[in-house]
Amino acid sequence: MTDRLIDRFCSMVRIDSESGNEAPFIEAMKARLEEELGAECTVDAHGNLVARVAAKGCEGIDPIFLGAHADTVKPGIGIEPVVEDGVVQSKGNTILGADDKAGLAAIVEAVASASRRPTVEIVITRGEEVGLVGAKNLDLSLLTATRGYIVDSDSLNEIVIGGPTHASLDVEIVGKAAHAAFPEGGISAIRVAANAIPRFQEGRLDDETVANVGTIEGGAIRNGVPETVKIKAECRSLTHEKCVTQAEAMKRAFEEAAGDVGATANVDLRYEYVASKVSEDSDTVRLAKDAIAAVGLEPATRVILGGTDALVLSGRGLDAVVLGFGGKGAHSVDEHIAVADLEKATDILRTLLEMSCETG
Ligand SMILES: [Zn+2]
């Protein structure tokens, strides 16, 4: 199994798929899954791939989906994987792309090698790294499974069962330009921003809520009263209402600080995804725990303050959690994965599919 698994993984990372340019990779996977697994493949209008693989020795059991994302971060062009001392890494000038092709390789190997399995729908999304846009636009009518696993975190024994509501604020403050030597007619947008930001809490608000002003950009010249400032800010909370309250407070702070001096604040507030959590007692989580324990690891669940494809799909009505593939150093040229860890990830998935035939 090892050679085939590593070959599979290396052949995947050799196909470039930086975010926005995933189509060749999706096409290659479609051809491969059709040929190798006899999968029934559909690429949806957004470019995501859904590949349905028929059940084997496990009829009448609810289908399961297994998901991974096609895209990688930069620098991800011309990745050349090197296997040395039981570790796979890139030649050093690019990322490796284990995030998330190790997840995908583990999925495909697990499906191919499971002694029995329910119907499996392999979901390969686009644009995960740039706002989870593939999962947000995934054509759910292509799925028959209502529960599944996204294989896209580092830790092999942990199951990510929930995530936050995440609000993004794009703020434009418009004051009035004037020459610095004749400032009376001007309204400084920079000063409005400076007055607004202390009006709301920032950093860690409580154990499940955070807020951040990430960028501020404005003014044009030293000797001019700055007319515009643009700010990108965000907040997140595992409790939806807390995120909404904080986001509204931030919006109001900019609007009021602007209003105080006759400037205007145009605030674009949007919610990227909504907090949810899959129950510890659900079949989805229990099956994952059993599979992790069966391969000799101590299963653990956690919630994170980041978005995942699983969170987006949970928000769209599916039961989805995140499992690990065992990689390290994602999003850097030091990214690597131990062969033994990739094998373990595959074992977990294979065990999970086989066990699901017993539990239903
Ligand atoms: Zn990822």
Side-chain angles (χ1 to χ4, degrees):
M1 171 286 263
T2 300
D3 286 352
R4 188 170 75 171
L5 175 61
I6 297 304
D7 286 351
R8 201 188 288 289
F9 170 60
C10 289
S11 71
M12 287 180 188
V13 303
R14 284 196 183 97
I15 305 172
D16 299 340
S17 62
E18 286 182 351
S19 302
N21 293 303
E22 303 95 334
F25 179 73
I26 294 276
E27 280 308 314
M29 290 309 300
K30 179 173 180 287
R32 206 174 288 182
L33 295 175
E34 282 171 350
E35 191 196 313
E36 202 182 333
L37 299 175
E40 188 188 309
C41 292
T42 314
V43 177
D44 73 8
H46 192 74
N48 301 299
L49 175 64
V50 176
R52 181 174 303 111
V53 185
K56 179 170 138 189
C58 180
E59 279 70 24
I61 298 291
D62 289 344
I64 285 178
F65 70 82
L66 297 175
H69 60 88
D71 62 320
T72 74
V73 295
K74 296 177 180 181
I77 302 291
I79 295 170
E80 192 44 56
V82 179
V83 189
E84 211 176 272
D85 298 331
V87 174
V88 193
Q89 53 195 9
S90 77
K91 274 193 164 164
N93 53 338
T94 64
I95 54 154
L96 174 61
D99 174 13
D100 191 17
K101 289 172 182 171
L104 184 55
I107 289 171
V108 177
E109 184 62 32
V111 173
S113 61
S115 60
R116 52 198 188 128
R117 57 171 193 245
T119 296
V120 178
E121 290 166 337
I122 301 174
V123 178
I124 307 178
T125 57
R126 291 183 49 205
E128 191 272 349
E129 303 284 7
V130 290
L132 311 171
V133 290
K136 287 176 183 172
N137 291 287
L138 178 65
D139 181 353
L140 294 186
S141 73
L142 298 175
L143 282 184
T144 60
T146 57
R147 58 175 179 154
Y149 304 86
I150 299 293
V151 186
D152 189 22
S153 79
D154 46 3
S155 173
L156 287 169
N157 70 311
E158 286 182 332
I159 308 160
V160 178
I161 59 171
T165 294
H166 178 172
S168 294
L169 294 98
D170 284 293
V171 182
E172 184 192 37
I173 295 165
V174 183
K176 198 159 185 298
H179 192 291
F182 307 98
E184 288 76 10
I187 302 171
S188 166
I190 289 179
R191 191 155 282 270
V192 171
N195 284 331
I197 292 169
R199 297 185 187 194
F200 56 82
Q201 282 184 278
E202 205 184 343
R204 179 165 291 285
L205 277 61
D206 62 34
D207 63 348
E208 59 168 12
T209 312
V210 292
N212 187 55
V213 176
T215 71
I216 178 161
E217 202 183 303
I221 47 173
R222 183 198 302 273
N223 60 351
V225 174
E227 183 160 35
T228 60
V229 166
K230 289 183 176 167
I231 293 152
K232 289 185 193 298
E234 64 154 56
C235 59
R236 308 169 186 225
S237 180
L238 294 174
T239 299
H240 176 71
E241 292 71 23
K242 286 185 182 176
C243 182
V244 172
T245 301
Q246 173 66 14
E248 291 294 336
M250 292 167 80
K251 180 173 191 281
R252 211 165 42 240
F254 287 110
E255 289 169 347
E256 289 178 0
D260 287 352
V261 293
T264 50
N266 302 311
V267 183
D268 175 23
L269 164 59
R270 57 185 191 280
Y271 291 92
E272 306 290 345
Y273 36 82
V274 172
S276 71
K277 191 171 157 185
V278 177
S279 164
E280 294 264 357
D281 304 326
S282 65
D283 290 343
T284 308
V285 175
R286 251 202 309 250
L287 182 59
K289 281 183 179 170
D290 289 348
I292 290 167
V295 304
L297 298 175
E298 179 81 36
T301 56
R302 66 175 175 139
V303 290
I304 58 171
L305 269 180
T308 64
D309 276 358
L311 182 63
V312 170
L313 295 177
S314 291
R316 299 185 65 195
L318 303 176
D319 243 12
V321 298
V322 183
L323 300 178
F325 57 78
K328 302 274 182 296
H331 297 203
S332 81
V333 296
D334 298 324
E335 185 183 14
H336 60 278
I337 185 166
V339 172
D341 285 341
L342 182 52
E343 284 177 346
K344 201 71 155 176
T346 307
D347 284 344
I348 291 169
L349 295 173
R350 185 191 310 104
T351 305
L352 184 152
L353 292 176
E354 291 172 353
M355 288 177 98
S356 73
C357 295
E358 290 149 31
T359 61

